[in-house]
Every structure is written in C-alpha cells, then in structure tokens.
Amino acid sequence: MTRDIRIKMCGLTRLQDVAAAADAGAAYIGLNFFARSPRYLEIEPAREIALAVPEGIAKVALTVDADDTALDTLMARVPLDMLQLHGSESPARVAEVKARYGLPVMKVVGIADAADLALLDIYGRIADQLLVDAKPPKDADRPGGNAVAFDWRLIAGRRWPVPWMLAGGLTPQNVAEAVQATGARQVDVASGIESAPGIKDADLMRAFVRTAQG
C-alpha cells in the first residue's frame, strides 16, 4: 500500500529541473534566496523558473532573516505561493511577514536534541506550516542544506497545530525509513536529489518520490 506523502524539492536552479520535479510528482518547489547557498538564485532567474512551474505545485521562497526591503523586491518580481523562513526569525517576525504579504509562512526549526522541541510548539501557534530540520553543524556557514539528519526518534509520534514537513539529509536511500520513524506526511529534499551542488538529477528525483511513497 502506497503512502500519501507530499514532497518538496528545494533549491531548483534550472528550468529543466522544474519539468523533472513536476514529472516526478513534487507537491512543492523551493527556490533558494540565501546568497551563501550553492542553490542561490538571483531574482530574475527565479522569476523565470517560477513562471514555468505547473499549476497545482506550490512555489516556495526560502529566505534567511530577510528584511522587508528584500522581501518586497522578491514579492514584486517572483510569483510565489509560500514563504519559508529559514533564519532566526522571531515569532513576532513570523507574524509580521504573514500580515505584510498575505501568504502562508513555513517556519524552519532546527533540531539537535530534545531541548529544541519547545520551539516547534511556539512557532506552531503562529506559522502556517513547520519545517523540522537538522540544526546545522557548529562550523556550517548556512542554516540548512547541509545534508545532515537529526535523531528522528526525537519527534516520533509528535504532532503540532499546523502541518509539518521533515527535512535534513534525506535521500532516496533513507526517506522511507525517515517517514516510518517519524510519521511525517511531508518531506523536503535538496542535496539528496542532486548530482552536484545545485544540479538536480531527474533519476534521483523519481527514485526519491518512489521510495517516499512506498
């Protein structure tokens, strides 16, 4: 029996990756606006990619502690369905972004141990969705996309007031185990479907969806 798992493919950088993601069955496509990421997009290439996304697939902008000026520019040029806040944005900032732009907001919370779980409860009362990711290693220069997983047992059986998505080091080889261990109904993948940083691989995309869905 197949699982009904919604999949976000994040960090697309090329038009052909949009078609491959749609063909594979992605429910969300993520565009990365964090300059230090190998998946970073400038505004105009991002607009071109977003305009190519088929109807019915949500276009998500990944931002990190972006101010209103940066978000205003982004929103004016790129057609989006959701904002993903991947920095140290406070609960108040999440509420501000929701009110200012009128789009659903997904807040990323990094997890390393049980002490981090309280933040999920806090942001779960404000954000429209949660993305439960691995907390970045201490020497990392970016807040996500580091291809590391956290101990899935920390969130096994837990639920929050809003939909949530599992991220952190997911690959075609481990996503089925991750879904089974956590009960996740949504998963996020970036490096796990790439042949090189920022370069998506259509075969890996299909393999990821196939194993996630069981």
Side-chain angles (χ1 to χ4, degrees):
M1 182 177 177
T2 59
R3 296 178 286 260
D4 182 20
I5 306 297
R6 291 168 58 81
I7 293 161
K8 176 171 170 281
M9 296 186 178
C10 197
L12 274 66
T13 59
R14 307 177 301 170
L15 278 173
Q16 63 259 43
D17 296 336
V18 174
D23 181 64
Y28 305 82
I29 282 176
L31 305 175
N32 188 317
F33 297 96
F34 181 57
R36 291 203 297 273
S37 171
R39 303 168 190 94
Y40 170 69
L41 283 175
E42 297 280 358
I43 294 291
E44 292 309 313
R47 174 179 170 80
E48 186 179 9
I49 289 172
L51 287 170
V53 175
E55 195 74 27
I57 299 177
K59 301 175 291 292
V60 183
L62 185 163
T63 66
V64 178
D65 297 317
D67 61 18
D68 287 350
T69 301
L71 291 177
D72 287 350
T73 302
L74 176 60
M75 294 292 296
R77 295 297 299 155
V78 184
L80 296 167
D81 301 302
M82 180 177 287
L83 292 169
Q84 175 180 325
L85 306 185
H86 211 308
S88 57
E89 299 90 357
S90 67
R93 178 59 177 159
V94 174
E96 282 177 9
V97 170
K98 284 180 60 171
R100 184 177 180 90
Y101 301 103
L103 285 184
V105 172
M106 176 186 293
K107 180 67 181 90
V108 181
V109 177
I111 300 297
D113 54 44
D116 299 316
L117 298 177
L119 285 174
L120 289 165
D121 295 320
I122 293 168
Y123 284 107
R125 294 192 287 270
I126 300 161
D128 297 282
Q129 292 207 42
L130 297 168
L131 192 148
V132 187
D133 199 0
K135 186 175 280 190
K138 285 186 168 52
D139 59 349
D141 64 353
R142 53 185 190 266
N146 294 294
V148 295
F150 63 95
D151 184 350
W152 298 322
R153 292 172 297 184
L154 289 168
I155 62 167
R158 290 179 177 267
R159 296 294 177 267
W160 296 279
V162 293
W164 64 280
M165 187 176 290
L166 179 67
L170 297 179
T171 67
Q173 290 73 39
N174 69 9
V175 65
E177 179 188 355
V179 167
Q180 187 169 12
T182 63
R185 309 307 299 169
Q186 302 192 109
V187 293
D188 177 285
V189 61
S191 61
I193 51 172
E194 291 179 343
S195 57
I199 305 301
K200 296 296 188 276
D201 183 291
D203 290 336
L204 289 174
M205 287 177 168
R206 287 191 292 270
F208 186 90
V209 174
R210 188 166 58 247
T211 53
Q213 302 289 13

